[in-house]
């Protein structure tokens, strides 16, 4: 990169230093690396950091294939270093409330999970709109719906999904390179769960209906859970401020995206206590990350614009999952 441009960014964003990857992973003063590069670079950057003896928090998706993910899990176990992906909703208070309430609503009969990325972000991000960089809306937010699916049905049920258990309908974005709207139907535990991922500004509530009750919540910030019409506050309101923001500032006192701060704090605590000794964490266990990786791979293979699309002919010889017209 242009050195002067790099220095401008360093000053603008307050970085202490700018290091090459090699310098970063060999610097003994650094013990945790946050990987937020293009999706296709996650595997190589995580692997380099782990081999350099660093704990790793990686933006989702962790990798672009299950094979890459399993290799990273093996390396993290070998190095005795933390490896966890950036599905921050997994460490929020609402997940405990959901798990507490699920048995009370009885056998699950209907599931709708909705996740959006604001249209402005989709329009302005060169990485998320690049097929060669592993972009696309599903890979940008699918980990949230897959993690919630694990929370509802268990990681083992999600890990056992077969290709024939998953149907995908996907709409490409304006440049035709990546998906901007992907709906997934998952046949699991006797029902068909509906998972939507779309470029939009308004968030739709996710719904879990059981024989005896209903749960509603909004992914991924999960600031409240509605149990049979009664609101359960699951925001970060009782936590100390993560940053010194004045109450009048946007998002004060916790920040505009406090969930990311909660996640960073949990990672820091785990490392500080010496309990970060391999892949997975108390809030995102290894078996859950493996199940999420498996399910996301099944969906990727059905998205026509995806880097890893694998068309399969149906009984009539047509290609499954053909792209619908772009937006």
């Amino acid at each position: 990169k242009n050195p002067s441009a790099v220095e401008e960014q360093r000053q603008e964003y307050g970085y202490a230093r700018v290091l090459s990857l090699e310098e970063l992973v060999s610097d003994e003063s650094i013990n945790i690396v946050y990987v937020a590069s293009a999706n296709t670079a996650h595997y190589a950057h995580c692997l380099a950091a782990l081999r350099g003896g660093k704990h790793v928090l990686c933006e989702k998706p962790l990798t672009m294939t299950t094979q890459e993910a399993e290799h990273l899990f093996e390396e993290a176990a070998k190095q005795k270093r933390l490896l966890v992906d950036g599905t921050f909703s997994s460490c929020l208070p609402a997940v405990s409330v959901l798990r507490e309430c699920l048995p009370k609503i009885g056998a699950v009969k209907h599931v709708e999970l909705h996740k959006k990325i604001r249209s402005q972000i989709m329009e302005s991000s060169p990485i998320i709109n690049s097929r060669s960089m592993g972009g696309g809306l599903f890979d940008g937010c699918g980990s949230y719906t897959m993690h919630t699916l694990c929370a509802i049905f268990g990681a083992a049920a999600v890990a056992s999904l077969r290709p024939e258990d998953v149907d995908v309908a996907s709409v490409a974005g304006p440049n035709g390179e990546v998906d901007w709207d992907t709906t997934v139907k998952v046949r699991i535990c006797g029902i068909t769960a509906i998972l939507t991922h779309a470029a939009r500004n308004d968030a739709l509530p996710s719904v879990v209906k059981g024989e005896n009750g209903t749960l509603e919540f909004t992914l991924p910030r999960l600031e409240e859970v509605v149990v049979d019409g009664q609101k359960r506050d699951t925001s970060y309101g009782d936590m100390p401020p993560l940053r010194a923001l004045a109450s009048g500032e946007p998002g004060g006192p916790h920040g505009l995206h406090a969930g990311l701060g909660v996640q960073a704090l949990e990672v820091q605590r785990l490392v500080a206590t010496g309990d970060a000794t391999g892949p997975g964490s108390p809030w995102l266990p290894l078996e859950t990350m493996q199940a999420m990786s498996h399910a996301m791979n099944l969906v990727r293979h059905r998205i026509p614009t995806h880097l890893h699309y694998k068309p399969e002919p149906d009984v009539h010889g047509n290609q499954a999952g053909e792209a619908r017209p772009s937006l």
Side-chain angles (χ1 to χ4, degrees):
K1 286 187 175 182
N2 183 318
S4 61
V6 170
E7 178 58 20
E8 279 184 22
Q9 289 188 351
R10 186 195 72 78
Q11 293 184 20
E12 180 180 355
Y13 295 109
Y15 302 136
R17 291 179 292 160
V18 175
L19 305 173
S20 67
L21 179 61
E22 294 75 18
E23 291 170 332
L24 177 69
V25 301
S26 62
D27 191 322
E28 294 184 358
S29 69
I30 297 171
N31 63 350
I32 305 174
V33 172
Y34 172 48
V35 175
S37 48
N39 292 344
T40 47
H42 285 184
Y43 169 72
H45 291 169
C46 287
L47 187 62
L50 290 169
R51 288 178 172 172
K54 314 302 182 189
H55 300 287
V56 177
L57 168 60
C58 180
E59 262 303 335
K60 73 281 175 222
L62 179 62
T63 62
M64 298 300 291
T65 70
T66 53
Q67 292 83 1
E68 289 178 341
E70 288 301 325
H71 189 199
L72 290 183
F73 297 147
E74 292 171 5
E75 190 65 31
K78 177 182 175 181
Q79 299 293 340
K80 293 183 169 55
R81 291 295 181 268
L82 174 70
L83 171 67
V84 67
D85 85 27
T87 308
F88 73 84
S89 59
S90 61
C91 58
L92 297 181
V95 176
S96 296
V97 174
L98 288 174
R99 290 197 171 106
E100 171 196 331
C101 293
L102 276 168
K104 299 176 182 177
I105 67 170
V108 174
K109 298 298 185 181
H110 180 82
V111 172
E112 289 183 25
L113 303 177
H114 303 290
K115 175 68 179 77
K116 55 92 175 175
I117 295 180
R118 292 197 309 273
S119 300
Q120 182 182 9
I121 294 176
M122 293 299 298
E123 291 164 358
S124 63
S125 172
I127 292 178
I128 205 169
N129 283 292
S130 170
R131 183 175 185 270
S132 64
M133 291 185 181
L137 191 137
F138 175 74
D139 267 301
C141 66
S143 70
Y144 294 109
T145 55
M146 292 306 174
H147 172 261
T148 309
L149 207 63
C150 288
I152 297 168
F153 296 106
V158 176
S160 65
L161 290 172
R162 305 162 299 172
E164 56 265 35
D165 296 325
V166 176
D167 294 328
V168 177
S170 187
V171 180
N175 68 4
E177 278 199 35
V178 299
D179 66 294
W180 271 40
D181 190 325
T182 292
T183 297
V184 184
K185 293 183 178 180
V186 181
R187 287 173 285 281
I188 184 170
C189 297
I191 72 160
T192 299
I194 300 172
L195 286 58
T196 71
H197 316 81
R200 56 189 303 161
N201 294 321
D202 54 321
L204 297 176
S206 295
V207 180
V208 181
K209 293 182 179 179
E211 287 182 335
N212 305 318
T214 301
L215 304 176
E216 293 186 18
F217 48 90
T218 302
L219 293 172
R221 301 194 185 194
L222 297 170
E223 292 178 324
E224 65 181 24
V225 175
V226 180
V227 184
D228 290 331
Q230 300 297 313
K231 292 183 179 181
R232 291 274 298 270
D233 181 11
T234 55
S235 67
Y236 330 119
D238 59 348
M239 295 178 58
L242 298 169
R243 294 181 58 197
L245 293 178
S247 59
E249 289 190 44
H254 297 289
L256 285 172
H257 214 321
L260 298 177
V262 173
Q263 180 185 56
L265 189 61
E266 293 295 341
V267 169
Q268 184 185 47
R269 287 172 176 165
L270 198 62
V271 171
T273 57
D275 294 324
T277 57
S281 66
W283 62 89
L284 196 56
L286 173 59
E287 57 268 24
T288 299
M289 288 198 294
Q290 289 173 315
M292 291 163 59
S293 175
H294 167 70
M296 289 187 71
N297 227 38
L298 294 179
V299 176
R300 290 183 184 116
H301 293 169
R302 302 292 183 88
I303 298 175
T305 53
H306 200 279
L307 194 61
H308 296 301
Y309 175 53
K310 293 183 179 180
E312 296 180 7
D314 61 21
V315 293
H316 303 293
N318 300 316
Q319 296 298 318
E322 292 182 353
R324 289 189 272 162
S326 63
L327 297 172

